Amino acid sequence: MYFDSHAHYDDRRFDDDRHEALLSLAENGISNITNIGSDIKTSKKSVALAEKYDFIYAAVGVHPHEVKDMQDADLLEIANLSKHKKVVAIGEIGLDYYYDHSPREAQRYWFKKQMKLAYDLKLPVVIHSRDATEDTIKICKESKIHGGIIHCFSGSVETAEIYLDLGYHISFAGPVTFKNSKSLPEVAKIVPEDRLLIETDCPYMAPEPHRGKRNCSVYVKYVAEKIADLRGVSAEHIAKITSDNAKKLFNIK
Ligand code: NI
């Protein structure tokens, strides 16, 4: 059974069939999901999904795209939401210099603030970093953590090694299956067993052979199969270790 460590079932692309999609997961090999918030509204929706479904856990936080209007009151709201017993992480937070939907200074400011909040709350962090490796590493080095995930990892072996040294888990999504992915197959071979996670980031990032379509947690098996193939182990083994790692990091009994 697979643990999809990063999904967005609050997304409107699931509005027509969310309940059916979620109910069909168990029979398709999915045991657990962490649904990730990206602003206050979707963080609340993540908590609501976790309340409704036993097998769903929630992360709450404000994504770099959305921090342009963030206020201190929002940070308080995140802290309040995090008190719910099924909130297992702060995220997704980080830096995105590819889209630059928020000014970079605001991105760095609220990333640091949310890193500090997670540490104070004794929760791990879920980090989004795109075209911002240098600044993400700098802030990660300055911040103390109770564990963390570099979500949908897309960097080099050298970058992965820096995050591993800092105590982070590396999570792979659809891109590791893409035919044009250059460094990711190499990274997938070197991440230690106890730091490896898999995710879909659904409805985004569908893996091969479903690239371009709406993604769902069932497709996490393609990510696992690709990593298993690269590492010369079985997909069942990848399912077991990534599921154990997710439960340990998210402190799920
Ligand atoms: Ni995401």
Short mmCIF file of all heavy atoms in Angstrom, two decimals, residues 6 8 92 151 201, ligand 1:
data_model
loop_
_atom_site.label_atom_id
_atom_site.label_comp_id
_atom_site.label_asym_id
_atom_site.label_seq_id
_atom_site.Cartn_x
_atom_site.Cartn_y
_atom_site.Cartn_z
N HIS A 6 1.87 13.94 -0.78
CA HIS A 6 1.57 15.33 -1.20
C HIS A 6 0.48 15.33 -2.26
O HIS A 6 0.71 14.95 -3.41
CB HIS A 6 2.85 15.96 -1.75
CG HIS A 6 2.77 17.43 -1.97
ND1 HIS A 6 3.57 18.34 -1.30
CD2 HIS A 6 2.01 18.18 -2.80
CE1 HIS A 6 3.30 19.57 -1.70
NE2 HIS A 6 2.35 19.50 -2.62
N HIS A 8 -3.47 17.45 -3.53
CA HIS A 8 -4.35 18.63 -3.39
C HIS A 8 -5.77 18.24 -3.79
O HIS A 8 -6.25 18.66 -4.85
CB HIS A 8 -3.85 19.77 -4.27
CG HIS A 8 -2.46 20.25 -3.96
ND1 HIS A 8 -2.19 21.11 -2.93
CD2 HIS A 8 -1.27 19.97 -4.54
CE1 HIS A 8 -0.87 21.36 -2.89
NE2 HIS A 8 -0.30 20.67 -3.85
N GLU A 92 2.16 23.97 1.88
CA GLU A 92 3.50 24.03 1.43
C GLU A 92 4.00 25.46 1.46
O GLU A 92 3.28 26.40 1.11
CB GLU A 92 3.64 23.41 0.03
CG GLU A 92 2.74 24.00 -1.06
CD GLU A 92 2.84 23.17 -2.36
OE1 GLU A 92 3.89 23.24 -3.03
OE2 GLU A 92 1.87 22.48 -2.67
N HIS A 151 9.68 18.83 -1.52
CA HIS A 151 8.59 18.22 -2.28
C HIS A 151 8.83 18.33 -3.78
O HIS A 151 9.42 19.31 -4.25
CB HIS A 151 7.28 18.89 -1.82
CG HIS A 151 6.43 19.46 -2.89
ND1 HIS A 151 5.67 18.69 -3.72
CD2 HIS A 151 6.20 20.74 -3.24
CE1 HIS A 151 5.00 19.49 -4.54
NE2 HIS A 151 5.30 20.72 -4.29
N ASP A 201 1.38 15.06 -6.01
CA ASP A 201 1.10 16.48 -6.21
C ASP A 201 -0.16 16.64 -7.06
O ASP A 201 -0.32 17.62 -7.78
CB ASP A 201 2.29 17.21 -6.87
CG ASP A 201 2.27 18.72 -6.64
OD1 ASP A 201 1.52 19.18 -5.75
OD2 ASP A 201 2.98 19.44 -7.36
NI NI B 1 1.79 20.90 -4.17
#
